[in-house]
Amino acid sequence: DSAKWTLPPVMPVVIVIVVLAAIVGAFAWFLRAKPAGEGAVTDVFAVPIDPTNVMVEVRVRVQNVAKKQLWIRNIKATLKSGGSEYNDDAASTVDFQRYFQAFPDLAQHQSTPLVPESKIAPGAQQEGMVIVAFPVSKEQFDKRESLSVTLEPYDQRPIVITEKK
C-alpha cells in the first residue's frame, strides 16, 4: 500500500467544467433582464430663466416592448455639459401653464405632457413633453455633451432615452 494521493483523470474534469459553464451560460442568457421599453428624444427646446439657469422642454417618444403594461412611476432628466452632470425631476403638469405664461417661447413648442402614472399598453407607444430646469447658461446648454430622460416604471428596470446629436 502506498500513501500516495492521485488526482482524477484530467479529461473527465474538463468535460464536467465545460458542461457546467454551458448550463450556467444558458440560464444567464434566457433569464436576463429584458428592457421594458425603448424610445427617442424627438425635440429639445431651451429658454434662459436667467443668465445662469435654463428651462428645457424635451419631447420624447416611448414604446412599450414588454409583454405587460408599462406604468411610469417617475420621470427624470440628466444633462452632461462642460464635464459636469446635472439632474432634475420633471416638472408637474400643474405648473405648465404658469411656465408657458412666463416663457412664451416655450409655449410655442408645447405638446401633450408625458406624466408620471401614465400607463402604456404592451406594444403601444406614447409621445409627450417633459419640462426640466438645469443650472447652466443657454450657451452651455447648447454645447451639451448629452441629454437623457429616464422613465422609472414601478415594476421594471428604468428606461433611459438619450438624445442623439
Side-chain angles (χ1 to χ4, degrees):
D1 288 337
S2 170
K4 183 181 175 187
W5 180 71
T6 59
L7 293 173
V10 174
M11 281 313 283
V13 172
V14 170
I15 291 171
V16 168
I17 290 173
V18 168
V19 168
L20 284 175
I23 291 171
V24 168
F27 273 110
W29 175 259
F30 289 111
L31 299 177
R32 72 186 186 281
K34 295 172 181 71
E38 59 188 22
V41 174
T42 58
D43 192 22
V44 176
F45 184 75
V47 294
I49 297 173
D50 58 39
T52 60
N53 291 294
V54 68
M55 184 169 286
V56 182
E57 182 179 306
V58 184
R59 194 172 304 159
V60 295
R61 182 179 53 250
V62 183
Q63 182 169 1
N64 183 356
V65 296
K67 294 182 177 165
K68 62 181 181 176
Q69 186 168 339
L70 179 67
W71 193 351
I72 300 172
R73 177 174 52 100
N74 194 17
I75 303 171
K76 297 180 178 186
T78 303
L79 171 70
K80 290 182 183 174
S81 180
S84 297
E85 187 172 297
Y86 307 95
N87 297 303
D88 190 27
D89 289 332
S92 173
T93 56
V94 174
D95 297 327
F96 280 16
Q97 289 306 316
R98 190 168 50 102
Y99 295 148
F100 294 146
Q101 288 175 352
F103 304 104
D105 291 342
L106 196 66
Q108 293 175 0
H109 297 273
Q110 69 179 321
S111 66
T112 306
L114 183 64
V115 295
E117 305 304 323
S118 295
K119 295 179 184 179
I120 305 172
Q125 76 176 17
Q126 185 171 351
E127 188 168 339
M129 70 172 175
V130 176
I131 296 179
V132 290
F134 297 111
V136 297
S137 67
K138 173 84 164 84
E139 293 77 26
Q140 189 177 358
F141 179 80
D142 290 338
K143 295 177 185 174
R144 66 190 173 274
E145 296 157 19
S146 70
L147 176 65
S148 300
V149 175
T150 303
L151 306 172
E152 298 174 347
Y154 277 101
D155 57 349
Q156 298 166 5
R157 292 179 34 191
I159 303 164
V160 179
I161 302 169
T162 303
E163 172 189 30
K164 293 185 174 144
K165 285 189 146 190

